[in-house]
């Protein structure tokens, strides 16, 4: 199959719909997709029938309502197209009802208290704005997932609501600028995915990687980050074959991905798709993560999506590239070429600046997880302090606007909104700042804090919501203004004055920035239990309710679920470390100690006066380590057996962070030292060197 035919060949996309649906049905469905109009049952029935025929032609035997519960991964419930009829025959059945709504047992998915036990049912509702597709002989129908009472139990529903909020408010602004033709403003997202690829055989020898996704211990290899010219040489063909396969799988599903090498860390790679609507981008990213893992398996690799698989080696993130676009194809964050366009651009730009400054806490929350805590704040990823990079040029333009001063980009120029055009803003400066959590990159923002293993739904939902809220405020003010131009100017200037503290173009990894950020009054929220409680702040609940993204109950449920998940992750790590310690590490230290002792005895049998201080020193240190590790393992057992029950979830999360995780770090120090001492053939795990080099 040629590349062009292959791309999207398994997707019930616009082309297929146009070809196969009756004109009227196509038009009605298209209106729903493009303009968010609601869909009637008649149309749904025709679509369902056509979809079924198409899917069966492509070899599908089942269909599934595919949804995104709060676990962060996707879930599916498969049903066969076949329905038995009289006489022992079966017919292929799939109607509008089956397409539009599915019933599902919600009791096995986290709900954070939203689902009372007597109300175990949940339902899935078709999301016609994300195309159905075929995978594994199954027709996948993207759906939202709600409780019977109508609460969102998933990540898609709030995302769709936030896109709607942004659409509502951005359109009001565009109307003021005279764009009456715009029917819809769409949040666009392009998530860049980082991941590690390691040998599957070695992966299987480490319970920590298998159970927790990361190594819970492991001494630094003699060579780390700075690797690794020959590494690429030796494994190139195997990795290249994997990448080709990933690309093909994704292309068939309509995901326009391009995998490539990434030299930041050994064995680390990156995959960047072409951006799509925030909703489709989120669905596609879920598919991407799944395809990466499955394809890795087939090629004898394990794909690690954890944010920090190896200590001391760069972790993996997921850059949420975000912008807003009109249905007429205009990117609202593209600096314009006329004075009017510039005024509009600046208004949207300062809206984002204000949104980020006002809601640093929510952005940090949207990137908070036990895994990602290892990354944020380590000197490799955007820190746990939110700030924005605009670049020197754009920053200077804003500052000169604020001070009503001339801006001099080579020639003298009076910056005046709506009168003069902006100087060209360089799109890709060579000194691109890679340390900023929220960077303007020419015509979009790049939110870099999101972790590799996370759904991008939360991050995109938060960005859409906070920007929509500021746009609402701006629109209220501008609609009431007598003179639009001066009102816009006033808003831009005021916003810069009040929110410029969030702009920081320097090195976010520098220790001095933490000091400076504190002086500026910016929040630093190092860990998940620091960040998550902020979603319960009244300002945030009011925001979510105002923008109709989450109800108060839904906010509380997110709080519960985020912290519950945090506790579970760390509990699993604690148990895993304990098991590895008791069954593998302690026996290895004992074996090696015995080897030393036996060797020393044998030596002494030959030579009475031999100096055994080297053996003795080693044996002593190993015995100390053994004692320490074994005592800590017992302590861990105690901690995991006395987790406070019936307390507020935050208290439990703090227990896991301060006690369990704290102890794990202490154990790690001793285990890592033991690893450097114990004979390699006795140490029961592949070490960092094995995992990261020898493939
Ligand atoms: P760079 O690699 O220089 O950061 P790219 O052009 O490769 O820039 O884009 C990186 C990611 O940003 C890609 O996934 C791309 O699709 C996405 N992207 C580009 N433009 C937009 C936009 N307007 N909205 C959302 N994402 C975008
Ligand atoms: Mg990028």
């Amino acid at each position: 199959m040629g590349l062009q035919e292959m791309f999207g060949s398994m997707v019930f996309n616009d082309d297929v719909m146009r070809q196969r649906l009756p004109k009227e049905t196509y038009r009605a469905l298209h209106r729903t997709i493009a303009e968010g109009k609601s869909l009637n049952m008649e149309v749904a029935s025709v679509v369902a029938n056509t979809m079924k025929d198409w899917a069966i032609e492509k070899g599908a035997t089942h269909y599934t309502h595919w949804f995104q519960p709060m676990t962060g991964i996707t879930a599916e419930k498969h049903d066969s197209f076949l329905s038995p009829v009289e006489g022992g025959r079966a017919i292929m059945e799939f109607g509008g009802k089956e397409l539009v709504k599915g019933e599902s047992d919600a009791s096995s998915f986290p709900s954070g208290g939203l689902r009372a036990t007597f109300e175990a049912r949940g339902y899935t509702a078709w999301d016609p704005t994300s195309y159905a597709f075929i995978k594994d002989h199954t027709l996948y129908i993207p759906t939202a997932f709600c409780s019977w009472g109508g609460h969102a139990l998933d990540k898609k529903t709030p995302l769709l609501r936030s896109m709607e909020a942004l659409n509502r408010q951005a359109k009001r602004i565009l109307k003021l600028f005279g764009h009456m033709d715009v029917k819809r403003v769409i949040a666009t997202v392009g998530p860049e995915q980082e991941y590690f690829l390691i040998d599957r055989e070695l992966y299987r020898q480490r319970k920590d990687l298998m159970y927790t996704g990361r190594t819970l211990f492991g001494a630094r290899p003699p060579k780390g980050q700075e690797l690794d010219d020959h590494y690429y040489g030796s494994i190139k063909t195997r990795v290249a074959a994997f990448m080709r396969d990933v690309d093909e799988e994704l292309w068939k599903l309509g995901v326009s991905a391009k995998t490539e090498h990434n030299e930041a860390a050994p064995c680390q790679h990156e995959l960047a798709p072409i951006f799509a609507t925030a909703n489709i981008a989120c669905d596609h990213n879920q598919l991407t993560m799944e395809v990466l893992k499955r394809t890795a398996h087939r090629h004898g690799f394990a794909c690690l999506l954890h944010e920090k698989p190896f200590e001391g080696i760069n972790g993996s993130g997921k850059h949420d590239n975000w912008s807003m676009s009109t249905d007429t194809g205009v990117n609202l964050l593209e600096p314009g070429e006329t004075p009017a366009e510039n005024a509009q651009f600046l208004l949207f730009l300062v809206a984002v600046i204000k949104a980020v400054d006002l809601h640093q806490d929510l952005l940090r929350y949207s990137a908070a997880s036990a895994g990602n805590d290892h990354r944020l704040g380590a000197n490799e990823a955007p820190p746990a302090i939110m700030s924005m990079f605009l670049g020197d040029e754009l920053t200077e333009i804003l500052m000169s606007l604020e001070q009503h001063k001339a801006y001099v980009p080579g020639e003298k120029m009076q910056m005046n909104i709506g009168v003069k055009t902006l100087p060209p803003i360089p799109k890709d400066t060579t000194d691109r700042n890679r340390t900023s959590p929220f960077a303007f990159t020419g015509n979009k923002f790049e939110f870099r804090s999101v972790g590799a293993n996370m759904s991008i739904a939360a991050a995109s939902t938060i960005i859409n919501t906070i920007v929509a809220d500021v746009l609402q405020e701006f629109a209220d003010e501008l609609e009431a203004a007598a003179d639009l131009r001066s009102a816009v100017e006033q808003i831009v200037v005021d916003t810069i004055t009040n929110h410029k503290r969030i702009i920081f173009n320097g090195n976010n990894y520098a220790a001095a920035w933490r000091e400076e950020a504190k002086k500026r009054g910016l929040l630093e929220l190092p860990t998940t239990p620091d960040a998550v409680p902020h979603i319960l702040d009244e300002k945030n609940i009011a925001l979510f309710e105002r923008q109709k993204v989450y109800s108060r109950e839904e906010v509380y449920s997110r709080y519960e679920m985020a912290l519950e998940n945090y506790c579970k992750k760390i509990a699993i790590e604690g148990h895993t470390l304990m098991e590895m310690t008791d069954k593998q590490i302690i026996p290895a230290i004992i074996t090696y100690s015995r080897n030393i002792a036996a060797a020393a005895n044998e030596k002494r049998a030959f030579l009475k006066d031999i100096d055994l201080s080297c053996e003795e020193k080693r044996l002593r240190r190993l015995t100390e380590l053994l004692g320490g590790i074994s005592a800590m393992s017992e302590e861990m057992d105690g901690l995991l057996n006395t987790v406070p029950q019936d307390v507020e979830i935050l208290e439990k999360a703090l227990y896991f962070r301060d006690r369990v995780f704290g102890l794990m770090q202490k154990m790690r120090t001793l285990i890592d030292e033991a690893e450097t001492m114990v004979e390699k053939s006795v140490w029961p795990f592949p070490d960092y060197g094995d995992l990261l080099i020898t493939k």
Side-chain angles (χ1 to χ4, degrees):
M1 205 191 301
L3 199 59
Q4 236 171 342
E5 295 97 82
M6 186 199 292
F7 189 83
S9 60
M10 290 304 195
V11 185
F12 194 73
N13 56 23
D14 198 60
D15 276 351
V16 180
M17 292 183 213
R18 200 194 335 244
Q19 280 164 24
R20 295 195 170 226
L21 291 172
K23 262 207 181 70
E24 266 318 300
T25 314
Y26 171 75
R27 247 181 254 140
L29 183 60
H30 192 77
R31 265 200 303 278
T32 300
I33 295 171
E35 297 164 35
K37 294 265 173 356
S38 62
L39 194 73
N40 70 39
M41 206 54 201
E42 249 167 76
V43 174
S45 296
V46 180
V47 176
N49 212 26
T50 311
M51 208 186 254
K52 180 195 73 185
D53 291 344
W54 170 83
I56 291 170
E57 272 171 44
K58 295 258 176 201
T61 53
H62 289 67
Y63 66 90
T64 180
H65 289 140
W66 186 61
F67 57 102
Q68 304 180 16
M70 295 304 297
T71 52
I73 52 174
T74 58
E76 48 203 65
K77 176 174 168 270
H78 293 239
D79 283 301
S80 169
F81 283 123
L82 284 178
S83 280
V85 290
E86 261 175 69
R89 289 179 311 117
I91 53 162
M92 298 288 203
E93 202 174 63
F94 178 68
K97 246 183 28 233
E98 284 78 19
L99 170 63
V100 169
K101 197 164 174 175
E103 220 179 300
S104 181
D105 181 7
S107 59
S108 46
F109 296 104
S111 79
L114 278 181
R115 177 188 45 75
T117 36
F118 59 83
E119 198 197 64
R121 283 181 310 168
Y123 68 89
T124 53
W126 179 34
D127 166 20
T129 63
S130 181
Y131 300 132
F133 56 91
I134 298 171
K135 190 164 73 74
D136 307 328
H137 303 288
T138 301
L139 171 68
Y140 279 73
I141 303 158
T143 60
F145 181 48
C146 297
S147 76
W148 213 250
H151 295 299
L153 292 178
D154 67 346
K155 298 196 173 220
K156 183 189 272 277
T157 307
L159 176 60
L160 289 171
R161 291 177 187 159
S162 74
M163 290 173 73
E164 196 45 49
L166 187 71
N167 170 50
R168 262 194 312 267
Q169 303 307 333
K171 261 189 338 207
R172 288 175 67 196
I173 302 280
L174 290 176
K175 286 241 152 57
L176 289 163
F177 280 91
H179 301 292
M180 301 307 188
D181 55 331
V182 172
K183 292 206 186 71
R184 200 162 175 78
V185 172
I186 306 137
T188 53
V189 168
E192 296 164 89
Q193 176 77 46
E194 291 181 336
Y195 60 94
F196 279 85
L197 210 54
I198 63 166
D199 196 276
R200 184 150 200 95
E201 269 317 300
L202 299 176
Y203 165 83
R204 289 173 51 80
Q205 291 170 40
R206 291 201 59 138
K207 291 256 162 55
D208 49 0
L209 282 175
M210 290 177 66
Y211 295 159
T212 75
R214 73 182 181 99
T215 54
L216 297 175
F217 55 84
R220 283 184 191 212
K223 245 182 138 184
Q225 293 278 108
E226 60 284 333
L227 294 171
D228 193 357
D229 340 317
H230 55 279
Y231 156 76
Y232 280 117
S234 63
I235 54 121
K236 208 173 185 173
T237 45
R238 201 169 149 207
V239 173
F242 158 83
M243 287 183 169
R244 218 174 18 250
D245 238 19
V246 168
D247 285 346
E248 280 185 15
E249 286 290 311
L250 289 174
W251 290 339
K252 280 188 220 158
L253 297 171
V255 182
S256 49
K258 190 170 163 15
T259 52
E260 47 198 54
H261 284 278
N262 179 341
E263 283 143 64
C267 300
Q268 195 186 35
H269 310 283
E270 185 184 285
L271 182 149
I274 293 174
F275 68 94
T277 71
N279 179 33
I280 292 177
C282 181
D283 287 359
H284 280 182
N285 182 250
Q286 292 287 354
L287 283 175
T288 300
M289 292 195 281
E290 199 188 308
V291 166
L292 281 171
K293 284 192 189 157
R294 286 178 12 161
T295 312
H297 201 126
R298 277 210 307 278
H299 286 256
F301 288 121
C303 173
L304 307 180
L305 292 174
H306 193 282
E307 283 81 7
K308 192 74 176 173
F310 308 101
E311 198 170 271
I313 306 268
N314 271 2
S316 300
K318 174 142 55 196
H319 296 169
D320 195 57
N321 292 275
W322 179 92
S323 187
M324 299 165 271
S325 166
T326 66
D327 60 340
T328 52
V330 179
N331 178 354
L332 297 177
L333 289 176
E334 180 82 50
E337 283 169 6
T338 65
E341 284 170 3
N342 281 328
Q344 186 187 302
F345 162 72
L346 287 168
L347 192 68
F348 280 111
L349 180 76
V350 298
V352 181
I353 293 173
K354 178 167 181 177
V356 173
D357 185 33
L358 286 180
H359 304 294
Q360 302 155 40
D361 51 351
L362 290 180
L363 284 167
R364 175 63 184 90
Y365 150 75
S366 78
S369 75
N372 210 25
D373 280 359
H374 293 275
R375 227 181 117 242
L376 303 181
N379 277 354
E380 56 163 59
I385 304 167
M386 287 301 146
S387 72
M388 291 171 97
F389 170 85
L390 294 182
D392 293 340
E393 188 116 27
L394 192 51
T395 306
E396 256 178 66
I397 291 169
L398 295 184
M399 295 313 150
S400 78
L401 275 170
E402 186 201 3
Q403 292 148 24
H404 304 280
K405 262 195 345 222
Y407 170 70
V408 190
E411 68 184 271
K412 211 171 161 60
M413 179 186 256
Q414 183 74 38
M415 273 309 296
N416 243 327
I417 286 211
V419 178
K420 286 273 161 52
T421 52
L422 289 174
I425 294 159
K427 209 163 249 163
D428 204 353
T429 41
T430 41
D431 64 335
R432 167 85 71 86
N433 183 321
R434 299 228 164 247
T435 67
S436 175
F438 209 97
F440 186 68
T441 52
N443 59 2
K444 64 182 191 290
F445 278 98
E446 186 168 344
F447 180 37
R448 301 201 179 109
S449 307
V450 186
N453 209 8
M454 307 174 87
S455 157
I456 51 164
S460 303
T461 300
I462 294 297
I463 302 174
N464 294 341
T465 308
I466 63 180
V467 173
D469 202 55
V470 176
L471 291 177
Q472 174 169 17
E473 211 182 293
F474 286 2
D476 288 346
E477 219 174 305
L478 292 174
E479 282 167 359
D483 174 27
L484 182 71
R485 191 166 73 75
S486 59
V488 169
E489 173 131 20
Q490 196 57 49
I491 287 181
V492 170
V493 170
D494 288 350
T495 310
I496 299 166
T497 308
N498 297 328
H499 301 284
K500 64 185 171 199
R501 65 170 184 169
I502 197 75
I503 300 168
F504 178 61
N505 294 325
N507 178 7
N508 282 255
Y509 300 168
W513 168 233
R514 290 183 65 190
E515 283 306 304
E516 166 70 16
K518 202 187 250 164
K519 273 193 221 130
R520 294 190 190 185
L522 300 181
L523 284 173
E524 177 170 10
L525 303 168
T527 67
T528 297
D530 297 313
V532 170
H534 279 279
I535 58 170
L536 300 183
D537 293 355
E538 276 309 314
K539 84 150 170 91
N540 292 331
I541 293 184
L543 162 81
F544 289 128
E545 288 189 324
R546 195 161 54 237
Q547 296 307 327
K548 303 187 171 55
V549 171
Y550 293 116
S551 66
R552 180 175 288 267
E553 292 79 14
E554 286 170 344
V555 177
Y556 269 87
S557 79
R558 264 65 195 172
Y559 164 80
E560 286 277 333
M561 285 187 274
L563 291 181
E564 192 60 53
N565 185 274
Y566 177 84
C567 294
K568 280 187 190 154
K569 287 271 156 65
I570 295 183
I572 293 171
E573 291 184 345
H575 282 290
T576 305
L577 185 58
M578 209 168 70
E579 187 183 306
M580 293 174 90
T581 300
D582 293 347
K583 294 200 178 148
Q584 295 176 284
I585 295 171
I586 289 179
I589 298 175
I590 292 176
T591 302
Y592 181 55
S593 303
R594 198 174 50 208
N595 290 353
I596 296 176
N601 274 337
E602 284 173 28
K603 272 190 183 177
R604 184 162 291 140
F606 274 107
L607 302 162
K608 292 272 174 294
D609 59 342
I610 194 170
D611 175 15
L612 290 171
S613 59
C614 170
E615 282 85 348
E616 195 190 322
K617 198 168 144 205
R618 280 193 159 241
L619 205 48
R620 243 180 238 294
R621 183 61 192 150
L622 279 169
T623 307
E624 279 165 16
L625 289 173
L626 183 64
I629 292 169
S630 147
M632 285 184 195
S633 179
E634 265 172 47
E635 193 184 337
M636 180 64 83
D637 195 23
L639 282 183
L640 292 171
N641 277 320
T642 52
V643 174
Q645 304 296 333
D646 303 319
V647 292
E648 222 276 325
I649 186 72
L650 179 59
E651 193 180 316
K652 204 164 138 188
L654 291 172
Y655 177 87
F656 275 101
R657 184 189 71 183
D658 299 335
R659 308 286 304 276
V660 180
F661 182 72
L663 181 61
M664 278 169 53
Q665 292 302 89
K666 281 194 218 146
M667 283 174 80
R668 173 177 194 137
T669 313
L670 300 191
I671 295 171
D672 286 356
E673 189 183 336
E675 182 188 307
T676 59
M677 294 181 68
V678 172
E679 184 184 334
K680 184 149 169 74
S681 61
V682 172
W683 193 248
F685 317 98
D687 60 24
Y688 275 22
D690 301 326
L691 291 168
L692 292 167
I693 305 172
T694 54
K695 284 219 281 208

